[in-house]
Amino acid sequence: MSDTQATVFDRIKGEIAANPVMLFMKGNALFPQCGFSARVVQILQHLDVPFGTANVLESAELREGIKAFTNWPTIPQLYVNGEFVGGCDIVSEMFASGELETLLGEAGVLKTGHA
Amino acid sequence: MNAARGEDDRAARIEAVLRARLDPVGHLRISDDSARHAGHAGAREGGQTHYTVEVVSPVFEGLGRVARSRLVHEALAAEFAGGLHALALALRTPREVQPG
């Protein structure tokens, strides 16, 4: 592993440790710059969970680093409590089936009273 | 399928790789969504960047969503290295698509 990659991996580990729900995406929650990223933001906002974001468009190292870190070739990438959940398809499927809400509930990040 | 010869190459390669790797494949549909993403980050002149792939195969039995996708991603590593930018996946087992 190169020094640069080690540094990026440390940054990623720091982000997913600091944010129970962490989204690596293109753009930010206010201005997603990709339809797939926008979809995941929309779902998380709909479920009313707080989440952190990192914009991979701001850093080529981060963009390649997160792909290598997760062993996943595309963006967005969602982590919950340090575990990789998936990209847009998986998050969308899990939202539709109710599994995402269950997962977030178990992770303790859903606001009380939100069913 | 009206595209000039050559433009469907990536879709054809994806199909060939997945049929071999996920054998037996019950259902396989590949759509090229590149035109809908023209002008976006990752889109390139000539397209062949954004695809949706649906596969039904017993190979996915017992695998979670992430593991199923990784199987497909690994099979298509050469395509990702060669400009494939986005791949929407719907991966099911025959049991999951059975009505009832």
Side-chain angles (χ1 to χ4, degrees):
Chain A
M1 197 190 300
S2 70
D3 285 355
T4 318
Q5 193 174 59
T7 307
V8 175
F9 279 22
D10 283 345
R11 172 181 169 186
I12 293 166
K13 286 177 197 162
E15 307 253 34
I16 62 181
N19 298 282
V21 183
M22 180 68 204
L23 180 64
F24 296 87
M25 62 176 290
K26 293 180 179 172
N28 58 45
L30 213 50
F31 296 107
Q33 293 185 47
C34 156
F36 302 105
S37 290
R39 170 93 184 120
V40 176
V41 164
Q42 202 176 36
I43 288 170
L44 293 174
Q45 287 175 340
H46 178 81
L47 293 173
D48 200 18
V49 292
F51 59 100
T53 63
N55 181 1
V56 303
L57 296 179
E58 286 175 355
S59 158
E61 288 81 13
L62 177 62
R63 185 170 172 175
E64 292 317 306
I66 189 66
K67 292 178 185 175
F69 182 84
T70 312
N71 181 26
W72 193 263
T74 52
I75 313 290
Q77 297 186 13
L78 180 68
Y79 278 81
V80 174
N81 279 355
E83 295 284 333
F84 176 60
V85 174
C88 180
D89 303 331
I90 290 178
V91 170
S92 300
E93 277 183 19
M94 289 180 71
F95 173 60
S97 69
E99 287 163 89
L100 184 65
E101 200 159 349
T102 303
L103 177 81
L104 293 167
E106 285 167 359
V109 294
L110 281 185
K111 287 177 185 163
T112 326
H114 186 90
Chain B
M1 295 306 146
N2 304 325
R5 173 123 186 90
E7 289 197 3
D8 288 330
D9 281 0
R10 195 188 307 275
R13 287 196 304 272
I14 290 173
E15 175 162 359
V17 165
L18 294 183
R19 282 198 185 281
R21 183 69 186 270
L22 305 174
D23 185 51
V25 168
H27 163 86
L28 186 148
R29 197 174 73 87
I30 298 173
S31 52
D32 183 343
D33 311 322
S34 305
R36 288 200 291 123
H37 295 271
H40 296 191
R44 300 193 305 188
E45 198 148 332
Q48 303 202 66
T49 50
H50 293 64
Y51 291 83
T52 297
V53 172
E54 294 167 15
V55 189
V56 177
S57 168
V59 172
F60 298 129
E61 203 74 60
L63 298 179
R65 290 189 172 91
V66 169
R68 292 179 189 191
S69 293
R70 283 208 173 109
L71 200 60
V72 170
H73 292 157
E74 279 157 24
L76 297 176
E79 300 300 334
F80 279 105
L84 173 58
H85 177 75
L87 186 65
L89 296 173
L91 310 174
R92 307 269 183 269
T93 64
R95 209 199 305 246
E96 289 165 354
V97 294
Q98 264 171 22

